[in-house]
Amino acid sequence: MATKKTARAAGKKTAVAKKSAKKSAARTIGYTTSNVFPEHSIKEVWAAAVEAKHLKKHFVDDMRGEFGKDLKPVGWYWKAWDWLTITPRVFKKHEQIVWDATGMDGKSKITVTFDFLVKEDKTIFRISEAGYAADDLKSAFMMCEGWTEFHCGVKAYLMDGLVLNK
């Protein structure tokens, strides 16, 4: 009898371990990077971060379309990486843009969110990404680094007209 109880207990532990492994495999991670723009209005930060006439000066080599309430696709182009098509699913002017992207692993569905807000008379621009597989820290950190560079580029462009990526 003791052998059957031990076997049952071991079986239960194995089943629990398998369930835990499945749960952790399904978990996802995300991050938020942000920058504060104390000297610029939300409209100025929005324009520098979203509008083609500004993005083509400091971020992309070319751009097709503009973000708008019609939620039409927008294309960003870099000579080194080719075109990226962004199809927004949320657009709130001077407030938020949300779109879905495919992760660097080619499988993960990533949600990208640009948030613009004013707090204590300072404009805050946040970029969040969510949906990375829990074990895909490398991709999440690489994209976080890229969006942090984007924030720095927007700030340098607004503050001093500097273009960091050219």
Side-chain angles (χ1 to χ4, degrees):
M1 279 298 215
T3 312
K4 286 184 180 180
K5 284 183 182 178
T6 306
R8 255 188 261 134
K12 285 181 183 177
K13 285 181 184 176
T14 303
V16 169
K18 285 181 181 177
K19 283 182 184 177
S20 294
K22 284 182 182 178
K23 283 183 183 178
S24 66
R27 284 189 319 191
T28 61
I29 58 172
Y31 65 85
T32 299
T33 180
S34 66
N35 211 316
V36 178
F37 296 80
E39 300 173 15
H40 294 88
S41 72
I42 200 165
K43 289 179 181 182
E44 292 170 312
V45 176
W46 171 274
V50 172
E51 295 176 4
K53 68 182 178 183
H54 298 289
L55 285 175
K56 289 197 290 189
K57 291 179 183 175
H58 71 84
F59 181 57
V60 297
D61 294 312
D62 198 6
M63 185 169 163
R64 280 189 279 208
E66 292 283 353
F67 291 102
K69 60 184 174 189
D70 58 7
L71 303 179
K72 288 185 179 176
V74 172
W76 284 351
Y77 175 77
W78 297 270
K79 291 173 188 164
W81 297 295
D82 208 7
W83 284 97
L84 169 68
T85 299
I86 298 165
T87 304
R89 60 180 168 87
V90 175
F91 176 87
K92 298 175 186 172
K93 192 168 185 174
H94 302 133
E95 190 177 330
Q96 186 180 66
I97 299 174
V98 179
W99 72 87
D100 294 320
T102 302
M104 294 173 76
D105 63 3
K107 299 179 235 170
S108 301
K109 186 175 180 177
I110 309 301
T111 300
V112 182
T113 305
F114 280 19
D115 284 310
F116 300 82
L117 58 133
V118 176
K119 191 172 185 178
E120 298 174 9
D121 295 324
K122 295 176 185 151
T123 300
I124 301 170
F125 172 30
R126 293 183 181 145
I127 301 173
S128 302
E129 286 196 332
Y132 289 93
D135 61 354
D136 194 12
L137 288 173
K138 182 177 180 179
S139 294
F141 276 114
M142 286 176 63
M143 290 306 296
C144 182
E145 177 184 359
W147 287 125
T148 300
E149 289 174 5
F150 176 65
H151 274 129
C152 292
V154 170
K155 194 167 215 172
Y157 174 75
L158 282 173
M159 291 180 71
D160 299 311
L162 296 175
V163 178
L164 302 180
N165 72 334
K166 304 284 180 188

